[in-house]
Amino acid sequence: MSSKIKRKILKTLFVLVLLGVVGGWVAWYKLLREEPEQKWADEAERFKYGSIGAEFSRGIPYWIWEVLPRVFPEYMPGPGGYKSFGLVWEEGREMPVGFTKQVIGFPRVANNCAICHVGTWRSKDEEVPHAVVASPANTVNVQAMLRFLTKVSGDSRFNASVLLTEIQRDTKLSFLDRQLYRFLLIPMTRSALQRQEKQFTWMNRPNWPDWGPGRDDPMNLTKYFMTTQPMDNSVGQADFPSNWNLQVRKGPNLFLNWSCDTPAVRSVLIDSALGLGAAPDKKSPLTYPIDNLHWKLKRRDWFVKRMEDLDNFLSALPPPKYPFAIDEMLAAKGQPIYAHYCAECHDVGAARTSKVIPIEEIGTDRERLDTWTKAAADEANEAVKSLGINRPNMVKNFGYCSPPLDGLWMRAPYLHNGSVPNLRDLLEPVEKRTQVFYVGYDVYDPVKVGFVTQGPQAERLGWKHDVKVRGDGNQGHTYGTDLSDADKQALVEYMKTL
């Protein structure tokens, strides 16, 4: 071979290597480069807007997320874009509470724990809502939002021509970014959402009960996403719990989750974050190989540290103080009534607090309890171990948890499924409790201690809860129902102080 031919071959190889290096760098920069997360003012702000690591596997390209409500308004619950899902959107913020925006190659939107754990209250309609960190997200309709994303993925307008035209109204993408969106991000996002629709078949069966604002079906979500358990006939809609002051929930033989499925705070945090996509999604073949490698090399250690930070923050976070006036004399009369009827199961350190109250005793709607099985717990534990994460195992119990009642005023409606609108109603015999009311409206009723659930505004802005619907029953927990009206009022007044 002549030296001239050798030089040509070497030049060709050099050009190919150079093109490969440049192409690889461009691909890394546009698809995988991670920009540092912004500095947060404090841990509360980080809780509301900071990443838990879900952007890599579950992140939606920001500009697609931004324009979807405008392209598909007919699939929204009402006007107002994403706010129509009841999301908490603080003034001056680009993103709603519970949504993260992180650059991994391109800006991606994902969720964090605050989507279910920041609620709001107002004293009147014209007041700006007060956001309460770590409270149940009482206005947020997560199921409606999930259904919106799956519906749009099946619409023929979810294509590059339509979406890029709409995106160009908001920003001028570069030529390279337009091609990236046209040929990769838009088709991949649509495919991912269509796969998600199949994963949610269980909750979209005909005549299946809806969750409504402030609730989800937590153990079926866990069962169908973390395990291979077959789809069954169980329903388990349940209120989002509060997660402030978690230090008092720690200790031997203490449980969390409504039916005592988890024996440790850290386990709850880990499993919730995994459910939001913070780890590799083995059901997503388009992203799993890269994501799995990235998880092993970097993100797993970051995730473990993030869960530690969350644990420390939520363990020390005090419950919110009742914001209205309290009749101190009446509350003092209610204290011994509380001590007699409630303290054994709800005072921190009491004999039955954070323990299993057998279903035969508590008598509340058992549907949520029956969604979870030992087989599901065992498989979920193995799935977490396969990710290289050590945490106390989930379990199966046969009753409901008796949690501490700190910040009780902000945890309405009551019982595990949100079937009793306020504390005053909870002290009524079952046959006298409200049968139909509306949830998702955040104006507060300081007399009955709960949110306003009746009247034109509650009906217009809220979601109808009917206790006759499967899983939504308001029976059980009859403690204190035989008290006099005066004693009930005193007890309610005292519980405002918790």
Side-chain angles (χ1 to χ4, degrees):
M1 183 181 296
S2 67
S3 59
K4 185 176 182 181
I5 293 175
K6 287 182 179 180
R7 285 195 298 272
K8 285 185 177 180
I9 291 174
L10 289 174
K11 286 181 180 178
T12 301
L13 288 174
F14 176 77
V15 170
L16 291 174
V17 170
L18 182 61
L19 289 173
V21 170
V22 172
W25 182 87
V26 170
W28 167 82
Y29 188 86
K30 289 295 184 181
L31 296 174
L32 299 174
R33 150 189 126 267
E34 292 188 60
E35 291 187 0
E37 193 173 8
Q38 71 175 79
K39 300 295 183 182
W40 303 107
D42 52 34
E43 283 300 313
E45 185 180 33
R46 188 185 183 194
F47 179 81
K48 289 187 283 187
Y49 302 106
S51 173
I52 58 170
E55 296 81 11
F56 202 99
S57 285
R58 302 273 184 89
I60 296 176
Y62 171 77
W63 290 114
I64 296 177
W65 178 84
E66 176 74 11
V67 303
L68 287 180
R70 297 206 305 262
V71 177
F72 304 103
E74 68 271 31
Y75 298 136
M76 305 293 290
Y82 286 112
K83 285 196 73 172
S84 66
F85 296 115
L87 300 177
V88 179
W89 210 318
E90 296 180 301
E91 187 174 353
R93 289 287 183 178
E94 179 186 15
M95 308 295 291
V97 168
F99 284 74
T100 68
K101 183 182 178 184
Q102 187 80 5
V103 173
I104 305 178
F106 50 90
R108 310 182 189 207
V109 175
N111 292 122
N112 64 19
C113 302
I115 185 66
C116 300
H117 297 289
V118 171
T120 61
W121 67 271
R122 293 174 292 161
S123 62
K124 51 190 175 183
D125 278 313
E126 57 269 27
E127 188 171 84
V128 175
H130 304 271
V132 182
V133 170
S135 83
N138 52 307
T139 64
V140 177
N141 194 328
V142 170
Q143 188 178 47
M145 187 167 56
L146 292 172
R147 285 173 170 166
F148 167 74
L149 292 173
T150 57
K151 285 178 181 177
V152 301
S153 70
D155 194 299
S156 61
R157 290 170 295 166
F158 199 115
N159 62 60
S161 177
V162 172
L163 294 185
L164 280 173
T165 299
E166 197 65 32
I167 288 171
Q168 290 294 103
R169 291 176 54 189
D170 290 342
T171 187
K172 299 301 179 185
L173 296 175
S174 68
F175 172 80
L176 184 57
D177 284 338
R178 286 200 303 274
Q179 307 319 304
L180 181 67
Y181 269 82
R182 179 178 300 278
F183 296 108
L184 189 63
L185 298 186
I186 291 174
M188 286 183 66
T189 300
R190 185 178 188 186
S191 294
L193 293 176
Q194 288 174 336
R195 289 195 305 274
Q196 182 172 283
E197 181 178 23
K198 294 178 182 177
Q199 292 173 331
F200 283 120
T201 300
W202 60 274
M203 75 173 192
N204 292 322
R205 284 174 276 183
N207 303 313
W208 215 246
D210 291 333
W211 305 346
R215 301 195 306 178
D216 64 358
D217 190 340
M219 304 320 291
N220 272 332
L221 281 167
T222 302
K223 186 167 61 184
Y224 297 135
F225 277 83
M226 290 182 67
T227 80
T228 59
Q229 297 292 304
M231 187 168 67
D232 56 34
N233 194 42
S234 65
V235 300
Q237 52 270 30
D239 263 17
F240 300 138
S242 64
N243 55 9
W244 50 62
N245 197 25
L246 291 183
Q247 183 59 45
V248 304
R249 308 294 298 274
K250 297 179 178 180
N253 300 314
L254 300 184
F255 293 94
L256 298 98
N257 288 349
W258 286 116
S259 57
C260 298
D261 314 297
T262 306
V265 166
R266 190 69 61 88
S267 292
V268 172
L269 298 177
I270 287 171
D271 292 342
S272 298
L274 295 180
L276 288 169
D281 186 347
K282 294 183 179 181
K283 296 180 180 179
S284 177
L286 290 176
T287 60
Y288 173 65
I290 294 175
D291 194 31
N292 188 48
L293 178 64
H294 191 50
W295 170 263
K296 289 179 178 178
L297 292 178
K298 178 180 179 180
R299 286 176 56 237
R300 180 167 55 201
D301 289 343
W302 180 92
F303 175 79
V304 171
K305 179 61 167 62
R306 182 73 185 102
M307 294 301 101
E308 179 183 349
D309 292 344
L310 266 177
D311 188 346
N312 292 337
F313 168 63
L314 295 172
S315 292
L317 182 68
K321 292 184 178 180
Y322 185 73
F324 303 98
I326 296 176
D327 185 330
E328 299 293 346
M329 291 183 63
L330 186 59
K333 292 179 181 178
Q335 194 280 329
I337 302 172
Y338 172 87
H340 178 75
Y341 283 91
C342 313
E344 182 185 19
C345 292
H346 296 295
D347 265 7
V348 174
R352 306 185 76 191
T353 303
S354 296
K355 303 288 180 64
V356 181
I357 307 300
I359 186 61
E360 294 80 11
E361 175 185 341
I362 193 67
T364 47
D365 192 309
R366 67 173 296 141
E367 294 281 359
R368 160 65 180 78
L369 172 66
D370 292 338
T371 58
W372 192 238
T373 65
K374 185 179 185 303
D378 291 342
E379 190 175 348
N381 293 332
E382 288 303 315
V384 174
K385 287 180 183 177
S386 73
L387 296 172
I389 297 174
N390 294 316
R391 55 102 165 108
N393 284 336
M394 300 185 77
V395 296
K396 168 62 183 176
N397 276 303
F398 297 92
Y400 285 113
C401 197
S402 52
L405 300 184
D406 48 351
L408 183 62
W409 69 275
M410 191 61 198
R411 290 155 65 173
Y414 299 101
L415 298 185
H416 71 273
N417 55 2
S419 59
V420 178
N422 53 64
L423 287 182
R424 187 62 182 81
D425 219 41
L426 187 59
L427 294 174
E428 291 298 323
V430 174
E431 62 273 12
K432 291 186 178 181
R433 291 174 181 170
T434 305
Q435 302 292 300
V436 175
F437 55 94
Y438 294 82
V439 297
Y441 181 51
D442 67 348
V443 170
Y444 206 79
D445 179 353
V447 176
K448 294 182 178 180
V449 187
F451 297 98
V452 174
T453 59
Q454 306 285 354
Q457 281 292 82
E459 292 183 26
R460 184 176 69 85
L461 299 174
W463 174 86
K464 183 179 178 180
H465 183 115
D466 187 337
V467 301
K468 296 184 182 67
V469 172
R470 184 184 171 198
D472 287 344
N474 64 352
Q475 68 268 27
H477 198 285
T478 57
Y479 313 104
T481 56
D482 57 349
L483 290 167
S484 68
D485 285 346
D487 283 348
K488 289 177 181 178
Q489 196 59 39
L491 176 56
V492 167
E493 198 69 15
Y494 174 74
M495 289 193 286
K496 296 176 182 178
T497 70
L498 299 175

